[in-house]
Amino acid sequence: MFNRNRPGVSLTAAAVLTAMVWAGPASGAARITSTIPAVGHPGEEVQFQVDGTTRWVGTAWFTAADGSRIRSMGQSGNPIVPHGAVSGPVWVELNAETLTEAYDLTVLPRLRLHAERQRVSGGETIQIAAKTPSIPGDWALTWRADLGTVDGTGRFHAPMVASTQYARIWACLRGGTECGTTVVAVSPIRLEPERLVLTPGKETALRVVQGGNEVSAAWRAVTANVSITSDGRVTAGTGPLDGGVAVVEATAAGATQEFRLPVRTAGVVANTLEWSDWIAPDSNNPNNRLALGSHAESVATHGDWLYVLQSSILSYLGPSSTTWIDVYWLDEDRNPIWVDCVDAPRAYSGGLWVVGDTLYVAGSEQPTTTMQYDISGGRAVLRSRGRVDGPVNASPPGGVQVTAQRYYSSATANQWNVVIQNQAEGWKRTLPLEYQPLTDAPIGVQAAGTSTWVAITFGYSLGYETLVADVTGDRAVPFALLASGGINHSLTVLGDVLVVGGDIYRVSGGKVAKLAEIPWHFVLDADPSTMRLLMGPDVFLQEDGFRVVDLSNPEHPRSSAPVAHPKSWAEGRLGSDYFVLVGPPQGVSVIPIDWTSGMRKTDAFPASPWTNALRYRDGYLFWTGPGWGYRGRSWTYNLLEVNDMTGPQARLVATADRPGDQVGWALQLVGPYAYVGTDTELIVYDVSVPTAPVERYVVPAPAISMAVQGHYLYAGSQDGPRKTLVVYDISAPERPQRVGTVALKDWAYGLAAGPGWLWVALGQNGYEVYSTVNPAAPSPLFETHTTAWDAAAVGNLAYVAADGAGLQILDMTNPSAPRLLSETSLAAGFEAHLQDYPNALSVTLDERGVAWLATSREGRVVGVDVRRPEAPRPIAVANTSQGYTILEAMAAVAVDNRLIIAGNDAAFDVARPQNLGLYQVPQTQPGEVLPDRFGDLPPVTQSMRPGPLPWKARYLNGDQRLRETETTGARPFRAERPASTPTRR
């Protein structure tokens, strides 16, 4: 099958040119009495009743438009109506010699509707395009809409509305059935220019339209990264935080509306998303619904044109599903403009590709449907349609395809052959490999190469190896064995350059020389003509994003700015000066390649297995966690660690240990002292010399969270079964004195101290606000049940890590009645409809006005611009998962343009943090599910579900199993301290 790492491919001649036409069996006396469904559609499974009895049918013959017959075997028992079939006689193959009598089957196309504009203003008219890509023709359609009106030609007229509503529009082939639908957002007013990407520092004139006419408007900048004049002239900021999405507000024709405008920066995306919806009755349970809309499966690029394989239902199942190829033209800003749609069978990853001016499509049913489209003029014009048994092989144009196959023989227990073929030139060679892998059944085998040498990666339970072999003779003779490769690492050949995971080699004259290393290991796409790779760190997880790597000078690879995607994995393709990511939730996203640095991972901290809290001061990083060792240990090693951060990479310079088995949860720096809070103690260290911390005092009481106000330290603690807030007087900072205790209804997971008030996070029990007018005896002022895990205070503003609600910003001017200024979900697109989107667990602010929120998903930390607290906007995301979605980030701090994350212990350059990419695209959020398109059901309200209970909460409530069983293959929760770490002080 097509290897998704390969740059371009060509089909075998049989796959391209041969149609499976009528081949011989004679018609018999058996009759088809009916089919289920009664009307067939291309790509749909059909169940046949023969002589009144439903029977298993493996093969049927359908009528093609030219009168020939097309054989279809289906995939799971019943035949699938093949692409190219039309209404007419159909025969069931009873055996190799006999067919049933002919049965007249009606075959109808699926409709693809596309709105001229996805957002319209009240009173405006737009055209809805109705296409029948699977069976082109002039079909008679009937139209209807549940909001506004639509005429017989598909002209939709939007009604006047007071707020945004969604119009569902149907076109049907047979009265009220055989319909296609689309959804259009109708708002009181809309913005022009519609497809606008702002250039920093450049002034752009905006206009407001209602009913097709420009109307006067009053303007206001909502986000801090743009300014706008009273007559609508907008200018994007030029600062490091100003890229990404900007929001402006217009008041016109009695309506006020916000508009989102992308500001050009690394990762700015042009997006083709269409409104999606949910289908099927489900007892008002949104999690059991099918997503209906336009869902991108795969993409091919050709200059300024995109060809996107789409499906109507995300999971592609049921009789309502269909597939097609959407054709887009890219404008000068790389905005995709929809042009047309053409026929395509269902195809898995890599089912379409471009060679020269030809677009090839290969389906996944049997026999395989193959298509060729002429794309020399941009639009796709069908050249030929064929059917071929078995999978379609593919190889780089003018190059070779290499596979390594085990040869089973009684004489050779572990013999392997190398198969090399060039389909374009029509030759194939099979050579025995003069090498035996370490096991008879390697976990994974990859191969790539040229006509003179090949590289093969064998995977084993304990590691990987890559051998390079000469194939110029009658045997494949290895001449190099490389310690490269790994789980989910790719193998790619570009001329004489070999890329194995993140290792780059040159293969020449029977020798292999290592040229460079890069921190990314998986190639989504490659272009030998430009020596470019589209890469991510892993096939399933993106960690710090997707990027383009230029190997035109392989000794010095160049990397583009990274782009984060809301889902862990995405299909990708390279273009000329852009690349494309496809897949839910955004459909198709076009990202111009930006060779600025952007946000990038710079460091990891292997000295600590897992950290929970961190502080930074004067070039040194202090953090605490569970340390090294096993449960029941007599010492907690590395309970406190100190790293020198003045160089490009962190350097561990000091550690401090404690007797007993405990976990560090909180850390505060006060003058020359570091306060370390654990689940059993509060420990005071003298860190006046950071490289030599000295233990000064120990309070035998838990301190799982801490906040300092004046000369008082507040700590979340425990007194027997009671959860408490303990107040310490730290006038003498080396010896805290307990002066007050307040009973709490749960652990104080996070604390924040503001002027005269103390904010206490109680997890799923909400949060409480206390007056600290008398700091030794806090008194309650306010409480709520909103889930909260942490908070930060700046002046009279509280920034709350509010679990599934994301970031909440509260005005605490009157602490007895906090006022919610904003709530920013950390979800994007489809994640908003699932339970696994990021949940905010902790929050910290940097000096530039960015709130950094550690989350539960993939060790993600999301940066939110809070310079205008009533209108925050996500601008950055860093992933530290190291291959596991369950691992969470515990906390983060950003100083000196460096983001340091506890949990998976990594550092990122955030000097220019706009790497959000797809995150800047507006999406439906929790609670904003659109109405059903089928069945006219009422809208379903989706509530935000709480996220998984954080490790801190689980551990403190008795579940200490976490991480010891869930980090197999990653850094363990506890393990032996490496001998290279500083000794116990």
Side-chain angles (χ1 to χ4, degrees), residues 477-503:
V477 181
F479 58 85
L481 191 62
L482 312 176
S484 294
I487 184 170
N488 296 326
H489 291 195
S490 58
L491 185 68
T492 306
V493 171
L494 301 172
D496 64 350
V497 174
L498 170 65
V499 183
V500 187
D503 295 328

PDB file of all heavy atoms in Angstrom, residues 477-503:
ATOM      1  N   VAL A 477      24.023  -6.889   0.261  1.00  0.00           N
ATOM      2  CA  VAL A 477      25.175  -7.078   1.146  1.00  0.00           C
ATOM      3  C   VAL A 477      25.307  -5.860   2.059  1.00  0.00           C
ATOM      4  O   VAL A 477      25.614  -4.750   1.596  1.00  0.00           O
ATOM      5  CB  VAL A 477      26.465  -7.250   0.330  1.00  0.00           C
ATOM      6  CG1 VAL A 477      27.650  -7.476   1.264  1.00  0.00           C
ATOM      7  CG2 VAL A 477      26.307  -8.397  -0.659  1.00  0.00           C
ATOM      8  N   PRO A 478      25.077  -6.004   3.373  1.00  0.00           N
ATOM      9  CA  PRO A 478      25.183  -4.861   4.285  1.00  0.00           C
ATOM     10  C   PRO A 478      26.603  -4.325   4.346  1.00  0.00           C
ATOM     11  O   PRO A 478      27.580  -5.083   4.326  1.00  0.00           O
ATOM     12  CB  PRO A 478      24.774  -5.456   5.640  1.00  0.00           C
ATOM     13  CG  PRO A 478      23.955  -6.661   5.297  1.00  0.00           C
ATOM     14  CD  PRO A 478      24.587  -7.215   4.049  1.00  0.00           C
ATOM     15  N   PHE A 479      26.717  -3.003   4.408  1.00  0.00           N
ATOM     16  CA  PHE A 479      28.029  -2.389   4.609  1.00  0.00           C
ATOM     17  C   PHE A 479      28.018  -1.386   5.760  1.00  0.00           C
ATOM     18  O   PHE A 479      29.053  -0.775   6.058  1.00  0.00           O
ATOM     19  CB  PHE A 479      28.544  -1.725   3.326  1.00  0.00           C
ATOM     20  CG  PHE A 479      27.648  -0.647   2.755  1.00  0.00           C
ATOM     21  CD1 PHE A 479      27.727   0.663   3.208  1.00  0.00           C
ATOM     22  CD2 PHE A 479      26.739  -0.950   1.751  1.00  0.00           C
ATOM     23  CE1 PHE A 479      26.938   1.647   2.668  1.00  0.00           C
ATOM     24  CE2 PHE A 479      25.948   0.035   1.200  1.00  0.00           C
ATOM     25  CZ  PHE A 479      26.034   1.349   1.667  1.00  0.00           C
ATOM     26  N   ALA A 480      26.883  -1.215   6.430  1.00  0.00           N
ATOM     27  CA  ALA A 480      26.836  -0.339   7.610  1.00  0.00           C
ATOM     28  C   ALA A 480      25.677  -0.764   8.494  1.00  0.00           C
ATOM     29  O   ALA A 480      24.617  -1.158   8.002  1.00  0.00           O
ATOM     30  CB  ALA A 480      26.679   1.118   7.205  1.00  0.00           C
ATOM     31  N   LEU A 481      25.888  -0.703   9.801  1.00  0.00           N
ATOM     32  CA  LEU A 481      24.846  -0.975  10.783  1.00  0.00           C
ATOM     33  C   LEU A 481      24.749   0.244  11.695  1.00  0.00           C
ATOM     34  O   LEU A 481      25.733   0.624  12.342  1.00  0.00           O
ATOM     35  CB  LEU A 481      25.183  -2.226  11.594  1.00  0.00           C
ATOM     36  CG  LEU A 481      24.075  -2.793  12.478  1.00  0.00           C
ATOM     37  CD1 LEU A 481      22.887  -3.231  11.637  1.00  0.00           C
ATOM     38  CD2 LEU A 481      24.590  -3.966  13.307  1.00  0.00           C
ATOM     39  N   LEU A 482      23.584   0.882  11.721  1.00  0.00           N
ATOM     40  CA  LEU A 482      23.404   2.157  12.411  1.00  0.00           C
ATOM     41  C   LEU A 482      22.585   1.973  13.679  1.00  0.00           C
ATOM     42  O   LEU A 482      21.582   1.253  13.678  1.00  0.00           O
ATOM     43  CB  LEU A 482      22.698   3.155  11.490  1.00  0.00           C
ATOM     44  CG  LEU A 482      23.237   3.283  10.068  1.00  0.00           C
ATOM     45  CD1 LEU A 482      22.367   4.225   9.256  1.00  0.00           C
ATOM     46  CD2 LEU A 482      24.685   3.751  10.087  1.00  0.00           C
ATOM     47  N   ALA A 483      23.011   2.620  14.726  1.00  0.00           N
ATOM     48  CA  ALA A 483      22.239   2.602  15.985  1.00  0.00           C
ATOM     49  C   ALA A 483      21.175   3.687  15.918  1.00  0.00           C
ATOM     50  O   ALA A 483      21.141   4.615  16.727  1.00  0.00           O
ATOM     51  CB  ALA A 483      23.171   2.822  17.167  1.00  0.00           C
ATOM     52  N   SER A 484      20.315   3.588  14.932  1.00  0.00           N
ATOM     53  CA  SER A 484      19.286   4.600  14.705  1.00  0.00           C
ATOM     54  C   SER A 484      17.949   3.918  14.523  1.00  0.00           C
ATOM     55  O   SER A 484      17.865   2.729  14.195  1.00  0.00           O
ATOM     56  CB  SER A 484      19.603   5.445  13.472  1.00  0.00           C
ATOM     57  OG  SER A 484      20.761   6.221  13.660  1.00  0.00           O
ATOM     58  N   GLY A 485      16.898   4.701  14.677  1.00  0.00           N
ATOM     59  CA  GLY A 485      15.544   4.173  14.565  1.00  0.00           C
ATOM     60  C   GLY A 485      14.896   4.084  15.926  1.00  0.00           C
ATOM     61  O   GLY A 485      15.549   4.224  16.961  1.00  0.00           O
ATOM     62  N   GLY A 486      13.620   3.857  15.939  1.00  0.00           N
ATOM     63  CA  GLY A 486      12.893   3.762  17.188  1.00  0.00           C
ATOM     64  C   GLY A 486      11.417   3.615  16.933  1.00  0.00           C
ATOM     65  O   GLY A 486      10.965   3.676  15.781  1.00  0.00           O
ATOM     66  N   ILE A 487      10.648   3.423  17.981  1.00  0.00           N
ATOM     67  CA  ILE A 487       9.216   3.262  17.835  1.00  0.00           C
ATOM     68  C   ILE A 487       8.624   4.535  17.234  1.00  0.00           C
ATOM     69  O   ILE A 487       8.903   5.645  17.688  1.00  0.00           O
ATOM     70  CB  ILE A 487       8.551   2.929  19.195  1.00  0.00           C
ATOM     71  CG1 ILE A 487       7.058   2.675  18.976  1.00  0.00           C
ATOM     72  CG2 ILE A 487       8.790   4.032  20.214  1.00  0.00           C
ATOM     73  CD1 ILE A 487       6.363   2.104  20.183  1.00  0.00           C
ATOM     74  N   ASN A 488       7.877   4.369  16.158  1.00  0.00           N
ATOM     75  CA  ASN A 488       7.232   5.472  15.440  1.00  0.00           C
ATOM     76  C   ASN A 488       8.231   6.395  14.742  1.00  0.00           C
ATOM     77  O   ASN A 488       7.874   7.514  14.367  1.00  0.00           O
ATOM     78  CB  ASN A 488       6.331   6.292  16.368  1.00  0.00           C
ATOM     79  CG  ASN A 488       5.172   5.477  16.888  1.00  0.00           C
ATOM     80  OD1 ASN A 488       4.660   4.615  16.186  1.00  0.00           O
ATOM     81  ND2 ASN A 488       4.762   5.737  18.113  1.00  0.00           N
ATOM     82  N   HIS A 489       9.473   5.974  14.577  1.00  0.00           N
ATOM     83  CA  HIS A 489      10.439   6.743  13.789  1.00  0.00           C
ATOM     84  C   HIS A 489      10.305   6.338  12.326  1.00  0.00           C
ATOM     85  O   HIS A 489      10.083   5.173  12.013  1.00  0.00           O
ATOM     86  CB  HIS A 489      11.872   6.492  14.261  1.00  0.00           C
ATOM     87  CG  HIS A 489      12.166   7.047  15.610  1.00  0.00           C
ATOM     88  ND1 HIS A 489      13.452   7.202  16.083  1.00  0.00           N
ATOM     89  CD2 HIS A 489      11.357   7.493  16.602  1.00  0.00           C
ATOM     90  CE1 HIS A 489      13.414   7.710  17.302  1.00  0.00           C
ATOM     91  NE2 HIS A 489      12.151   7.886  17.641  1.00  0.00           N
ATOM     92  N   SER A 490      10.470   7.295  11.431  1.00  0.00           N
ATOM     93  CA  SER A 490      10.319   7.010  10.007  1.00  0.00           C
ATOM     94  C   SER A 490      11.681   6.784   9.366  1.00  0.00           C
ATOM     95  O   SER A 490      12.737   7.057   9.948  1.00  0.00           O
ATOM     96  CB  SER A 490       9.585   8.157   9.309  1.00  0.00           C
ATOM     97  OG  SER A 490      10.282   9.375   9.477  1.00  0.00           O
ATOM     98  N   LEU A 491      11.633   6.269   8.122  1.00  0.00           N
ATOM     99  CA  LEU A 491      12.824   5.993   7.333  1.00  0.00           C
ATOM    100  C   LEU A 491      12.600   6.623   5.967  1.00  0.00           C
ATOM    101  O   LEU A 491      11.666   6.253   5.254  1.00  0.00           O
ATOM    102  CB  LEU A 491      13.031   4.481   7.213  1.00  0.00           C
ATOM    103  CG  LEU A 491      14.291   3.973   6.519  1.00  0.00           C
ATOM    104  CD1 LEU A 491      15.513   4.288   7.355  1.00  0.00           C
ATOM    105  CD2 LEU A 491      14.187   2.467   6.294  1.00  0.00           C
ATOM    106  N   THR A 492      13.446   7.591   5.589  1.00  0.00           N
ATOM    107  CA  THR A 492      13.217   8.367   4.376  1.00  0.00           C
ATOM    108  C   THR A 492      14.519   8.527   3.609  1.00  0.00           C
ATOM    109  O   THR A 492      15.575   8.750   4.203  1.00  0.00           O
ATOM    110  CB  THR A 492      12.657   9.761   4.725  1.00  0.00           C
ATOM    111  OG1 THR A 492      11.497   9.608   5.546  1.00  0.00           O
ATOM    112  CG2 THR A 492      12.291  10.533   3.477  1.00  0.00           C
ATOM    113  N   VAL A 493      14.434   8.426   2.266  1.00  0.00           N
ATOM    114  CA  VAL A 493      15.598   8.602   1.398  1.00  0.00           C
ATOM    115  C   VAL A 493      15.335   9.764   0.454  1.00  0.00           C
ATOM    116  O   VAL A 493      14.300   9.810  -0.224  1.00  0.00           O
ATOM    117  CB  VAL A 493      15.880   7.323   0.592  1.00  0.00           C
ATOM    118  CG1 VAL A 493      16.953   7.577  -0.458  1.00  0.00           C
ATOM    119  CG2 VAL A 493      16.319   6.199   1.529  1.00  0.00           C
ATOM    120  N   LEU A 494      16.275  10.707   0.412  1.00  0.00           N
ATOM    121  CA  LEU A 494      16.241  11.839  -0.519  1.00  0.00           C
ATOM    122  C   LEU A 494      17.570  11.843  -1.274  1.00  0.00           C
ATOM    123  O   LEU A 494      18.566  12.407  -0.800  1.00  0.00           O
ATOM    124  CB  LEU A 494      16.053  13.161   0.222  1.00  0.00           C
ATOM    125  CG  LEU A 494      14.790  13.323   1.077  1.00  0.00           C
ATOM    126  CD1 LEU A 494      14.860  14.607   1.882  1.00  0.00           C
ATOM    127  CD2 LEU A 494      13.560  13.324   0.201  1.00  0.00           C
ATOM    128  N   GLY A 495      17.605  11.183  -2.437  1.00  0.00           N
ATOM    129  CA  GLY A 495      18.866  11.092  -3.170  1.00  0.00           C
ATOM    130  C   GLY A 495      19.883  10.292  -2.390  1.00  0.00           C
ATOM    131  O   GLY A 495      19.646   9.127  -2.054  1.00  0.00           O
ATOM    132  N   ASP A 496      21.019  10.911  -2.036  1.00  0.00           N
ATOM    133  CA  ASP A 496      22.025  10.201  -1.263  1.00  0.00           C
ATOM    134  C   ASP A 496      21.918  10.504   0.228  1.00  0.00           C
ATOM    135  O   ASP A 496      22.802  10.142   1.008  1.00  0.00           O
ATOM    136  CB  ASP A 496      23.428  10.543  -1.766  1.00  0.00           C
ATOM    137  CG  ASP A 496      23.777  12.021  -1.568  1.00  0.00           C
ATOM    138  OD1 ASP A 496      22.882  12.809  -1.221  1.00  0.00           O
ATOM    139  OD2 ASP A 496      24.960  12.377  -1.778  1.00  0.00           O
ATOM    140  N   VAL A 497      20.839  11.170   0.640  1.00  0.00           N
ATOM    141  CA  VAL A 497      20.629  11.495   2.049  1.00  0.00           C
ATOM    142  C   VAL A 497      19.634  10.505   2.643  1.00  0.00           C
ATOM    143  O   VAL A 497      18.543  10.292   2.100  1.00  0.00           O
ATOM    144  CB  VAL A 497      20.110  12.941   2.214  1.00  0.00           C
ATOM    145  CG1 VAL A 497      19.760  13.217   3.667  1.00  0.00           C
ATOM    146  CG2 VAL A 497      21.168  13.924   1.729  1.00  0.00           C
ATOM    147  N   LEU A 498      20.022   9.903   3.743  1.00  0.00           N
ATOM    148  CA  LEU A 498      19.190   8.952   4.468  1.00  0.00           C
ATOM    149  C   LEU A 498      18.797   9.571   5.807  1.00  0.00           C
ATOM    150  O   LEU A 498      19.669  10.035   6.557  1.00  0.00           O
ATOM    151  CB  LEU A 498      19.955   7.644   4.699  1.00  0.00           C
ATOM    152  CG  LEU A 498      19.321   6.618   5.649  1.00  0.00           C
ATOM    153  CD1 LEU A 498      18.015   6.077   5.075  1.00  0.00           C
ATOM    154  CD2 LEU A 498      20.307   5.480   5.933  1.00  0.00           C
ATOM    155  N   VAL A 499      17.488   9.597   6.097  1.00  0.00           N
ATOM    156  CA  VAL A 499      16.990  10.144   7.349  1.00  0.00           C
ATOM    157  C   VAL A 499      16.333   9.013   8.127  1.00  0.00           C
ATOM    158  O   VAL A 499      15.329   8.442   7.701  1.00  0.00           O
ATOM    159  CB  VAL A 499      15.975  11.287   7.112  1.00  0.00           C
ATOM    160  CG1 VAL A 499      15.531  11.880   8.438  1.00  0.00           C
ATOM    161  CG2 VAL A 499      16.587  12.368   6.226  1.00  0.00           C
ATOM    162  N   VAL A 500      16.927   8.675   9.273  1.00  0.00           N
ATOM    163  CA  VAL A 500      16.413   7.614  10.141  1.00  0.00           C
ATOM    164  C   VAL A 500      15.974   8.263  11.447  1.00  0.00           C
ATOM    165  O   VAL A 500      16.807   8.633  12.271  1.00  0.00           O
ATOM    166  CB  VAL A 500      17.476   6.535  10.411  1.00  0.00           C
ATOM    167  CG1 VAL A 500      16.848   5.370  11.170  1.00  0.00           C
ATOM    168  CG2 VAL A 500      18.109   6.065   9.128  1.00  0.00           C
ATOM    169  N   GLY A 501      14.658   8.422  11.611  1.00  0.00           N
ATOM    170  CA  GLY A 501      14.189   9.167  12.765  1.00  0.00           C
ATOM    171  C   GLY A 501      14.741  10.577  12.712  1.00  0.00           C
ATOM    172  O   GLY A 501      14.512  11.318  11.754  1.00  0.00           O
ATOM    173  N   GLY A 502      15.511  10.967  13.728  1.00  0.00           N
ATOM    174  CA  GLY A 502      16.116  12.286  13.743  1.00  0.00           C
ATOM    175  C   GLY A 502      17.573  12.308  13.332  1.00  0.00           C
ATOM    176  O   GLY A 502      18.237  13.346  13.450  1.00  0.00           O
ATOM    177  N   ASP A 503      18.112  11.179  12.843  1.00  0.00           N
ATOM    178  CA  ASP A 503      19.511  11.098  12.416  1.00  0.00           C
ATOM    179  C   ASP A 503      19.602  11.257  10.904  1.00  0.00           C
ATOM    180  O   ASP A 503      18.877  10.604  10.158  1.00  0.00           O
ATOM    181  CB  ASP A 503      20.125   9.764  12.830  1.00  0.00           C
ATOM    182  CG  ASP A 503      20.202   9.607  14.342  1.00  0.00           C
ATOM    183  OD1 ASP A 503      20.375  10.637  15.029  1.00  0.00           O
ATOM    184  OD2 ASP A 503      20.067   8.475  14.827  1.00  0.00           O
TER     185      ASP A 503
END
